[in-house]
Amino acid sequence: RGKRAFIAGVADDNGYGWAIAKSLAAAGAEILLGTWVPALNIFESSLRRGKFDESRVLPDGSLMEITKVYPLDAVFDCPEDVPEDIRTNKRYAGSAKWTVQEVAESVKQDFGSIDIFVHSLANGPEVSKPLLQTSRYGYLQAISASSYSFISLLQHFVPIMNPGGCSISLTYIASERIIPGYGGGMSSAKAALESDTRVLAFEAGRKHKVRVNTISAGPLRSRAAKAIGFIDMMINYSIENAPLQKELSAEEVGNAAAFLASPLASAITGTVLYVDNGLQAMGVGV
Ligand code: NAI
């Protein structure tokens, strides 16, 4: 049978998660999605109304099938963690079983196992504030949504991953180089994510034969990136200064993810793979 993938962090057709889902679907994988609870209704109704049909087209002309969409909020591990104001919030009250533990349980009940786990989500309420002005709350929220969410999801999904399986997350060069504007502790969160990729590769590899890698992607005009406010500048900077002077497409990141998830990458784990037109290799802009 084909492989089964769960992709956490898809709520429209503009981001990396959607592109990764498409590349995996084109390679024959069955697609399950985890969608942030407050974005679920509009995502599902847009899907139903055919709003994404054009972007569901795969290279062979068929449409990507999404087998199931699970509501997910990756900052809550289990029902006991959910505070009253969230539980009773009207954007959450219509959905059930959306904590990390419950989503993994539902996937296990519905399908038994998965082969590929993708983490394509991040959030930092103070991303537009410089680190020097970031509050403790904002910093911890950034780490919770963008870094610990990966640990928690892997913790709960690894037991239902088949040996030889693989997990992939998305990171950004701001973890290791100064990118003014990527604030609120988001640079710290990506540094944690990359370090955790190495440690989790060891633990998940030894215990479950599961590979763990992260893709350091170049700039893309996604919903999340537009919210940061400097995405057009970053795209233009890359086109001017990277070895490959073209705009990066989400599909190029999707294809790299499909490679990492495939048997062609069976010896690759614990790595940060740059998919950024080579920008990370430059020392100065020319
Ligand atoms: P996106 O907006 O398509 O994806 C982010 C997703 O995270 C959204 O669907 C949002 O609903 C979801 N999300 C936020 N908080 C959540 C929570 N608590 N629980 C569950 N889902 C939650 O944007 P994009 O840019 O494709 O982001 C995907 C990943 O790619 C992120 O890790 C981002 O940091 C990374 N990345 C993005 C770059 C860019 O220029 N767009 C560059 C390098 C990395």
Side-chain angles (χ1 to χ4, degrees):
R1 76 166 178 82
K3 289 183 178 175
R4 184 176 295 122
F6 183 93
I7 300 132
V10 180
D12 60 41
D13 59 349
N14 294 317
Y16 282 133
W18 177 270
I20 292 171
K22 274 182 77 174
S23 294
L24 293 174
E30 178 177 18
I31 304 300
L32 312 177
L33 300 182
T35 299
W36 196 29
V37 189
L40 182 74
N41 273 342
I42 178 141
F43 179 62
E44 285 202 302
S45 67
S46 302
L47 259 183
R48 265 198 311 273
R49 292 202 323 267
K51 208 188 140 209
F52 301 136
D53 282 359
E54 233 172 88
S55 33
R56 279 170 63 210
V57 179
L58 299 176
D60 71 356
S62 68
L63 293 192
M64 167 170 70
E65 288 300 332
I66 297 167
T67 304
K68 189 159 179 181
V69 179
Y70 293 87
L72 166 70
D73 194 322
V75 304
F76 301 111
D77 301 317
C78 58
E80 298 78 60
D81 287 355
V82 181
E84 190 59 26
D85 60 320
I86 298 279
R87 207 192 335 269
T88 54
N89 183 307
K90 72 172 193 306
R91 290 156 90 201
Y92 283 77
S95 300
K97 297 193 179 172
W98 41 259
T99 66
V100 172
Q101 181 199 313
E102 293 169 293
V103 174
E105 276 167 8
S106 300
V107 172
K108 184 182 179 179
Q109 259 174 30
D110 294 343
F111 299 98
S113 66
I114 63 167
D115 303 285
I116 300 162
F117 170 73
V118 179
H119 177 283
S120 183
L121 63 98
N123 212 349
E126 296 179 14
V127 64
S128 51
K129 279 192 195 166
L131 193 54
L132 199 52
Q133 261 97 63
T134 296
S135 73
R136 183 182 302 270
Y137 171 81
Y139 185 91
L140 294 177
Q141 286 290 109
I143 296 279
S144 172
S146 314
S147 317
Y148 187 78
S149 59
F150 181 62
I151 299 179
S152 177
L153 280 158
L154 201 59
Q155 206 174 91
H156 289 90
F157 274 92
V158 126
I160 63 164
M161 286 179 76
N162 295 315
C166 124
S167 89
I168 298 164
S169 68
L170 275 301
T171 186
Y172 185 48
I173 187 76
S175 60
E176 42 177 326
R177 298 277 185 269
I178 302 162
I179 309 285
Y182 198 73
M186 281 305 299
S187 56
S188 330
K190 292 305 192 189
L193 184 66
E194 290 172 23
S195 177
D196 297 342
T197 297
R198 294 182 279 273
V199 178
L200 295 169
F202 169 71
E203 296 179 4
R206 288 289 175 93
K207 207 163 166 219
H208 299 277
K209 297 189 168 63
V210 163
R211 296 181 292 111
V212 183
N213 292 293
T214 188
I215 292 175
S216 186
L220 173 76
R221 212 177 274 98
S222 65
R223 188 187 169 101
K226 279 192 277 189
I228 301 172
F230 70 165
I231 190 64
D232 291 314
M233 196 191 90
M234 297 318 285
I235 290 172
N236 291 334
Y237 182 89
S238 183
I239 291 171
E240 272 170 34
N241 296 293
L244 302 176
Q245 295 191 293
K246 60 182 174 63
E247 187 160 343
L248 180 70
S249 74
E251 187 186 354
E252 294 175 292
V253 169
N255 290 341
F259 159 69
L260 282 177
S262 78
L264 296 174
S266 57
I268 304 178
T269 193
T271 67
V272 179
L273 177 66
Y274 297 94
V275 184
D276 66 346
N277 284 322
L279 186 63
Q280 53 79 30
M282 297 299 295
V284 291
V286 282

